[in-house]
């Protein structure tokens, strides 16, 4: 199982969505939603960029989340995307401070 398929399945299950429901919510015809999502999760087929964006919108994660090889970084990417602007600026400020200490 590659990173993309692992993260797609993990987030779908975390959101308590069936393969069929995720597919339908992403705009796939209900009769094809379950088999197509199964193919995406098993790695048999890869969704095109537009479908990947729609899946991520339904799951509430940025596209980058599905491709992060590092588990900690994937968690940061998913969490950061859901913060409000004020909290994002706080996090970026802390990163700047840490980087200036290391410099």
């Amino acid at each position: 199982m590659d990173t993309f398929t692992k993260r797609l399945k993990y987030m779908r299950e975390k959101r308590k969505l069936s393969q069929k429901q995720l597919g339908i919510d992403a705009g796939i015809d209900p009769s094809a939603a379950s088999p197509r999502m199964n193919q995406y999760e098993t790695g048999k087929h890869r969704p095109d960029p537009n479908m990947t964006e729609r899946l991520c919108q339904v799951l509430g994660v940025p596209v980058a989340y599905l491709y992060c090889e590092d588990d900690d970084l994937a968690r940061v990417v998913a969490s950061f995307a859901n913060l409000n602007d004020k909290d994002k600026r706080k996090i970026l400020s802390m990163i700047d401070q840490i980087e200036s200490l290391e410099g």
Side-chain angles (χ1 to χ4, degrees):
M1 184 177 282
D2 71 1
T3 301
F4 182 94
T5 59
K6 177 178 83 168
R7 297 214 188 287
L8 179 62
K9 182 177 181 178
Y10 170 79
M11 194 53 68
R12 177 185 59 77
E13 290 175 345
K14 183 175 180 181
R15 300 288 190 247
K16 296 181 172 51
L17 293 168
S18 66
Q19 288 179 335
K20 182 174 185 170
Q21 191 59 54
L22 174 56
I24 291 169
D25 290 352
I28 300 171
D29 182 88
S31 65
S34 185
R36 177 127 42 117
M37 289 307 306
N38 183 269
Q39 291 175 346
Y40 294 161
E41 287 187 8
T42 60
K44 184 173 182 178
H45 293 289
R46 184 77 78 196
D48 66 34
N50 186 27
M51 177 54 67
T52 300
E53 286 183 33
R54 293 193 324 239
L55 292 168
C56 287
Q57 286 175 347
V58 173
L59 295 171
V61 296
V63 172
Y65 170 81
L66 295 178
Y67 295 97
C68 282
E69 292 183 13
D70 180 272
D71 290 337
D72 291 334
L73 181 58
R75 183 175 171 209
V76 169
V77 167
S79 296
F80 186 84
N82 291 310
L83 294 175
N84 61 46
D85 289 341
K86 182 180 176 185
D87 288 338
K88 285 179 181 180
R89 286 191 300 275
K90 285 181 190 177
I91 298 295
L92 292 173
S93 177
M94 290 189 318
I95 291 170
D96 289 342
Q97 289 175 352
I98 291 168
E99 287 176 341
S100 70
L101 293 173
E102 294 175 351

